[in-house]
Amino acid sequence: MSLAQMRTDLAARVAVNTAVNCYPQMPDQIEVPAFVVGPLESVPYNHDFGKGANLYIFAVRVYVGRVDMDEAMIALDPYLLKSGSYSIKALLDNPAGHLVSNTSSAQWTNVREARDVGAYEFAGVEYVGAEFVVEML
């Protein structure tokens, strides 16, 4: 699976289950709520997962509304939960390597953490959002 296919797979997992606008790569602009797969964060080469598998670590973000919206932080809450229909962890985790979307072929996916909840600038606009660290084999 190529890195581009991995990005597309992550976006597809969220898109098939939610009404969130999903972007498999960094767009020029977003429409909220938005799920954006960012650049590859790291590839730890010294870990052996058998059959030549590498671990790829992506930083993905969810943007829910402009910073000046009072309800933006409340709108972010369902994405941060461990379970539920908008939970990024529940939507992306794939511990057994099952096909979870039409484009999925990843053997294993884990959402390690949500971090940096707060304000993010995107295309000159400040949004409330959160970053998630996603590991894929």
Side-chain angles (χ1 to χ4, degrees):
M1 179 182 256
S2 71
L3 293 174
Q5 289 170 317
M6 288 180 177
R7 287 184 193 95
T8 298
D9 180 59
L10 290 172
R13 292 181 195 199
V14 175
V16 298
N17 293 304
T18 68
V20 175
N21 300 295
C22 296
Y23 304 91
Q25 62 271 337
M26 299 293 285
D28 292 332
Q29 296 182 27
I30 58 171
E31 185 176 330
V32 293
F35 173 83
V36 179
V37 181
L40 183 66
E41 190 170 276
S42 67
V43 182
Y45 290 118
N46 293 328
H47 297 292
D48 181 14
F49 295 98
K51 298 184 182 179
N54 289 320
L55 179 66
Y56 298 94
I57 302 172
F58 292 90
V60 302
R61 289 187 182 164
V62 170
Y63 303 90
V64 294
R66 292 176 180 253
V67 169
D68 57 357
M69 292 176 49
D70 291 336
E71 58 277 343
M73 285 303 288
I74 294 168
L76 183 60
D77 290 349
Y79 299 94
L80 297 169
L81 297 174
K82 190 173 182 178
S83 63
S85 59
Y86 281 86
S87 163
I88 295 300
K89 174 116 177 110
L91 290 166
L92 297 181
D93 269 2
N94 188 15
H98 298 296
L99 296 179
V100 293
S101 73
N102 291 337
T103 61
S104 178
S105 62
Q107 298 175 16
W108 176 85
T109 307
N110 177 56
V111 179
R112 185 172 67 202
E113 67 180 326
R115 65 183 182 192
D116 300 330
V117 175
Y120 286 96
E121 185 176 323
F122 198 101
V125 179
E126 281 199 328
Y127 296 99
V128 170
E131 185 170 80
F132 298 83
V133 177
V134 180
E135 304 166 321
M136 292 182 85
L137 285 180

